[in-house]
Amino acid sequence: MTAMTLTDAPTPAEAVGPLMRGIAVLREISDAGGRTSLSDLVRTTGLARSTVDRIAATFARMGYLRLDSHSAALTPRLMELGNAYLAGLQLPRLLGPLTEQLAEELDESVSLAVPDGDGVRFVHQTTRRRAMSLTFRIGDLLPAERTAPGPLFAAGWSEQEWVRWRERRAADPEDRGFPAVPPRTATDGGPGLEERVARAGKQGWALDDQLIEPGLIALAVPVHSPDGQVVCAVSAVSHTSRHSVGSLRQSLLPRVRKAVAAMERELRQARPAPSAPPAGLAAWTTASKQELGAEFVESLARGLTVLTAFGEGRPELSLTAVAEATGLARATARRALITLEHLGYVASRDRTFRLTPQVLALGCAPLSRTTLPDIATPHLAALVQTVHDSASLAVLTGDDIQYTARVATGRIMSVNITIGTRFPAYAASMGRVLLADLPPKDRAAWLASTELRALTPHTVTAPAELATLLDRAGQEGHALVDEELEEGLRSIAVPVRDRAGRAVAAVNVAMHSSRRTAAQCLTEVLPELRATAARIEADLHVAGRFTHIPSA
């Protein structure tokens, strides 16, 4: 038992067995770091291989798993489940910008954490780039007694909750049930949780003095809702090479308290989020069942779809609202909610339901470290299988593009480029679509300051002509460069845009000029290239809704 949930209670008669088994598979893959073999899933879940295969096929159809030979890997789309909880919670949206300002001011990593049973779960991260990284992932669950936020949350526990915490400590003394936490060591010591709770109650803040692991220290301050309840804690994390516990408190506490005061003002002034309830979320499951037959577990897919009925402006829903949003019959939605509540992913009160932080355990932690190259590579591989030429992803770095992901074709004569390679942006198709996305003033300044050298006899070096080409690339949404970077090399590229519509990268297909004419690139390759970019963007938009996705 990792956190105080309802999983120790008898299974309700109306619980949906396939949904319980499917969630067990997701949890095992998540705890394994996001990827594991199907054979290991059989061993760790105790399910039959045929059952695991059907569950995996269902998740693959939903876009939550990518099956590769005998293994299964979580995909960014799975984060829509955690996003439903985070959107309903609103804390990342409302307090995230203030958290980022605080991290910049302190030059330390800063997190937002919420209570999850007798654990602490992170819902927002703002990290600092250092060789020695001191960060947890969104969705990570830590034992309350080994964290700075834990004593702040435990102050509100009932006697029953304290009993369950002691039972968990006795059953799991090394914290093996917390995948993100190193096991306890013989050097673990210091005040007990009860003493730390009493101290935190008097001080209004709490410390973690190397309780998670040697060298790591943290300071936490509670954030209160307008009605006075502790809704989350702000935690600033450092290392003993940068601070002692005393200097951490002395240096950081006043500034953290000031930021918390601003956060509490934000919560008081926040307006209710607009509610745009989805409709018919589960309608596609019938078609999937008809197409895949026994390989598609419809009750599993519909049960997880219930989680996505919640979201921004919809933190609490009645059974009727869940049924209407999903398109499920009330009886079907009710059984799914009963199952999810039994497992601890949903809580009920006054005939309404809400998601719990435990939803973040469904893949959020491993997927929150996803990079744009991670997202793009499987889609590039599928594109290469279709067009039979190499495909790449690149970002704009100064005056150059830099390759960050690449899938090569198996041809004897192919374009040989490695990840990290840089080329002048003006002479590359990916560079042109990225330059075309710059604001007009920035683009004009770039053209005025950049030396345009002829790399081949075909390279465009006249600033006015290049400006015209960039305008065209911006209007048409693609760029085709023909033997300007290297003789015999032809490539076509389109941008990849983030949730704000900004081009953060570009994808291209490159080939020898003898493979296709320029006209054929437009008719045969461009539609496939655009479809690939759209799939990358769809994953990026889900994965990047509440976490930063590095472009490299």
Side-chain angles (χ1 to χ4, degrees), residues 25 29 34-41 49 52-53 56-57 60 65-75:
V25 167
I29 302 174
R35 186 183 189 92
T36 190
S37 69
L38 297 178
S39 297
D40 281 345
L41 286 174
R49 177 58 187 256
V52 169
D53 286 345
L65 274 189
R66 182 169 290 109
L67 301 179
D68 179 14
S69 184
H70 301 294
S71 66
L74 304 179
T75 67

Side-chain angles (χ1 to χ4, degrees), residues 229-451:
Q229 299 296 312
V230 175
V231 292
C232 68
V234 177
S235 179
V237 184
S238 191
H239 193 271
T240 51
S241 61
R242 290 176 57 81
H243 281 286
S244 66
V245 172
S247 71
L248 184 75
R249 180 183 67 250
Q250 183 177 5
S251 175
L252 271 58
L253 182 57
R255 289 180 284 179
V256 174
R257 278 179 161 163
K258 181 179 178 181
V260 166
M263 292 179 182
E264 292 177 345
R265 286 195 299 273
E266 181 67 31
L267 293 178
R268 288 194 298 271
Q269 298 168 4
R271 298 178 180 178
S275 178
L281 293 172
W284 65 274
T285 61
T286 301
S288 297
K289 183 66 175 178
Q290 291 174 349
E291 179 180 341
L292 299 179
E295 293 303 305
F296 185 79
V297 187
E298 189 171 16
S299 57
L300 166 58
R302 289 185 164 185
L304 285 181
T305 298
V306 165
L307 297 176
T308 61
F310 298 83
E312 192 163 9
R314 306 188 306 279
E316 295 190 1
L317 296 174
S318 65
L319 170 59
T320 299
V322 171
E324 290 176 351
T326 58
L328 297 174
R330 276 176 56 91
T332 303
R334 178 175 173 272
R335 291 189 64 200
L337 287 166
I338 288 173
T339 307
L340 294 167
E341 184 172 17
H342 168 67
L343 295 176
Y345 298 97
V346 166
S348 62
R349 181 183 60 186
D350 300 331
R351 295 191 174 186
T352 63
F353 299 87
R354 61 178 175 82
L355 302 184
T356 72
Q358 195 170 325
V359 173
L360 298 178
L362 301 178
C364 247
L367 290 172
S368 67
R369 292 288 176 87
T370 299
T371 66
L372 184 52
D374 293 334
I375 292 173
T377 298
H379 297 295
L380 295 179
L383 176 62
V384 169
Q385 289 291 318
T386 301
V387 301
H388 306 293
D389 279 302
S390 300
S392 304
L393 176 87
V395 297
L396 191 63
T397 304
D399 292 339
D400 299 332
I401 58 164
Q402 183 172 12
Y403 284 69
T404 57
R406 180 167 171 78
V407 176
T409 184
R411 294 182 173 279
I412 295 175
M413 184 175 68
S414 62
V415 181
N416 183 23
I417 299 170
T418 58
I419 292 175
T421 297
R422 295 172 67 138
F423 288 126
Y426 66 88
S429 61
M430 290 189 285
R432 288 194 182 163
V433 294
L434 291 172
L435 291 171
D437 193 66
L438 293 176
K441 288 184 178 179
D442 293 346
R443 193 196 311 169
W446 184 90
L447 283 167
S449 62
T450 302
E451 179 186 1

